[in-house]
Amino acid sequence: MLFKNHYGVDLGSSSVKVYSVFRNKTYIEKNMVAYRKQRILAIGNEAYEMFEKAPADISVNSPMAFGMIANLELQEIVLYSMMRKIDHTSGLGADMYFAVPLDMTAIEKRAYYHLVNGHWLRKNRVFMVESPIADAIAMNVDLEKEEGSMIVNIGAQSTEFSIITSGKIIISRKIPIGGRQMNESICSEIRKKYNLQVGTRTAKRLKLVMGRLNDQKKEARKVVGIDSVSGLPREEVVSASVVNEGIINCINQIAAEMKTFLERTPPQIAYNIAKEGIYLTGGSTRLPYIDNYLAGYTGFAFNLSDLYETSAVRGLEKIIRDRDLRKWAQPVKQKKL
């Protein structure tokens, strides 16, 4: 550990989180690339500033889709750019710990290996930690107990339910609903109510400012969008009720899937989960009262983490620093893939 760099990496659809042991700090940057044909124009936060503003011939998107690497080359560019900002000598001969989705295929594992053993990042050892395990460690959940615990992560593009018992994930389910779908739902509600087209960045700002779920506080904000009829820019005052309607459409789907998931859980484990409460984390859990809303829908109590989108990388930090926890990290070698 004294002679080799160690990094914990959580590749999210919205942002990349990297923990550096040497710096003892977690770095967060938007997981986006702006490019025209084969030329990279902007990476990370700079690319996000161009999102939904760039001309038609410039593409701005994330290399990740629903928690999986969709474009290996672009993802390597994003990670390499971020590693260079952390340390100019990083990315060569380091131990890289990744928080990864469950049940990955050999091809998907190979993508993570080549991500840090490709064009720019080389000679790195790769360790993989299942994301629900990393989340649980970050929230100080006892993974070894037989009674079982439930972890729910509501991310940018997906929501994952997992039950851990005796050190193993015995049941898991992922649904393609997250913060981005909430933003799109808000856009849809504004279009129906006001005949106004707004971008998902505007919808996200409205969600963070006025999204309250259980709170009936009356608020409104001015936004600028494109009139659906005339095609011209127009200013409109959007009420909190319209924003919350868009959010609730997605939250209700998540809650319904969660309730079905709990109904299929073995009774003895469900009983302990009811006593202990469901552990809730992920970037989209920043919505005020989301834990109370889900509790009212499912009938289960919730333990809301204050780590939000950094829970997985915080779990990786603990694993790197504590040798007893490294048993949860599985080494990956190219010859075995």
Side-chain angles (χ1 to χ4, degrees):
M1 193 143 175
L2 295 174
F3 304 100
K4 179 176 287 191
N5 289 332
H6 290 65
Y7 299 95
V9 183
D10 178 21
L11 300 175
S13 300
S14 175
S15 59
V16 179
K17 285 77 68 177
V18 177
Y19 170 72
S20 168
V21 172
F22 179 72
R23 302 288 182 184
N24 192 26
K25 183 179 178 181
T26 296
Y27 299 81
I28 303 176
E29 188 152 344
K30 287 294 182 181
N31 195 3
M32 280 201 167
V33 182
Y35 57 95
R36 180 191 287 118
K37 296 182 179 179
Q38 300 298 320
R39 182 186 175 191
I40 302 297
L41 302 177
I43 302 170
N45 295 338
E46 292 181 2
Y48 183 70
E49 291 301 317
M50 300 172 64
F51 184 56
E52 295 184 336
K53 298 179 182 179
D57 63 332
I58 296 177
S59 299
V60 184
N61 51 44
S62 172
M64 297 286 288
F66 302 102
M68 302 299 298
I69 298 175
N71 190 313
L72 179 59
E73 183 179 358
L74 293 182
Q75 188 61 76
E76 185 179 356
I77 290 171
V78 172
L79 185 57
Y80 174 72
S81 172
M82 196 168 177
M83 298 289 286
R84 291 285 291 177
K85 291 178 182 179
I86 296 171
D87 186 348
H88 288 296
T89 62
S90 64
L92 182 63
D95 282 355
M96 310 287 290
Y97 290 76
F98 285 93
V100 301
L102 295 169
D103 303 325
M104 290 198 303
T105 65
I107 293 174
E108 289 164 345
K109 288 183 179 180
R110 188 177 298 120
Y112 278 87
Y113 183 89
H114 282 298
L115 183 64
V116 292
N117 290 283
H119 297 292
W120 295 281
L121 303 171
R122 301 185 303 277
K123 298 182 180 179
N124 296 300
R125 292 201 304 173
V126 178
F127 298 86
M128 293 186 175
V129 181
E130 293 172 329
S131 292
I133 295 291
D135 287 332
I137 290 174
M139 292 185 285
N140 298 315
V141 177
D142 182 4
L143 299 177
E144 302 287 358
K145 69 176 185 294
E146 297 181 359
E147 292 85 355
S149 299
M150 182 169 172
I151 312 294
V152 175
N153 187 306
I154 305 177
Q157 281 189 303
S158 61
T159 297
E160 188 169 37
F161 317 127
S162 303
I163 292 179
I164 304 172
T165 180
S166 300
K168 296 180 180 179
I169 299 172
I170 59 168
I171 312 173
S172 182
R173 174 166 168 72
K174 180 183 284 189
I175 59 174
I177 305 172
R180 190 169 299 181
Q181 287 72 26
M182 294 180 201
N183 300 339
E184 292 170 355
S185 181
I186 292 171
C187 292
S188 177
E189 290 298 321
I190 292 174
R191 186 167 57 251
K192 288 190 293 185
K193 179 73 174 180
Y194 303 104
N195 279 329
L196 188 72
Q197 297 181 35
V198 299
T200 56
R201 288 185 62 180
T202 299
K204 181 179 180 179
R205 286 196 294 269
L206 292 173
K207 176 181 71 176
L208 295 176
V209 172
M210 294 194 294
R212 291 291 185 273
L213 293 179
N214 286 3
D215 189 358
Q216 299 303 315
K217 184 178 179 181
K218 293 184 179 180
E219 288 184 272
R221 290 288 188 278
K222 287 183 179 180
V223 300
V224 176
I226 302 297
D227 191 289
S228 299
V229 178
S230 67
L232 299 174
R234 175 164 63 87
E235 187 177 78
E236 185 63 73
V237 177
V238 176
S239 68
S241 61
V242 174
V243 174
N244 285 326
E245 185 67 27
I247 295 171
I248 288 173
N249 290 339
C250 292
I251 295 295
N252 282 346
Q253 293 180 60
I254 293 172
E257 292 285 352
M258 192 184 304
K259 194 170 185 180
T260 301
F261 182 85
L262 286 163
E263 289 171 353
R264 296 175 179 174
T265 301
Q268 64 275 20
I269 295 177
Y271 175 73
N272 184 71
I273 292 171
K275 289 195 303 179
E276 184 181 52
I278 297 170
Y279 292 90
L280 183 64
T281 188
S284 295
T285 59
R286 289 183 180 275
L287 281 170
Y289 309 111
I290 188 171
D291 52 338
N292 294 334
Y293 188 88
L294 291 173
Y297 195 109
T298 63
F300 282 71
F302 283 79
N303 304 306
L304 179 61
S305 169
D306 59 358
L307 299 174
Y308 305 112
E309 70 272 15
T310 63
S311 63
V313 76
R314 185 65 64 87
L316 295 177
E317 174 188 342
K318 290 185 175 183
I319 289 171
I320 293 170
R321 290 193 168 277
D322 189 339
R323 291 185 179 275
D324 293 336
L325 294 175
R326 290 191 196 174
K327 62 184 177 181
W328 305 108
Q330 299 298 317
V332 177
K333 297 180 179 179
Q334 174 63 9
K335 64 181 181 180
K336 292 185 178 181
L337 297 178

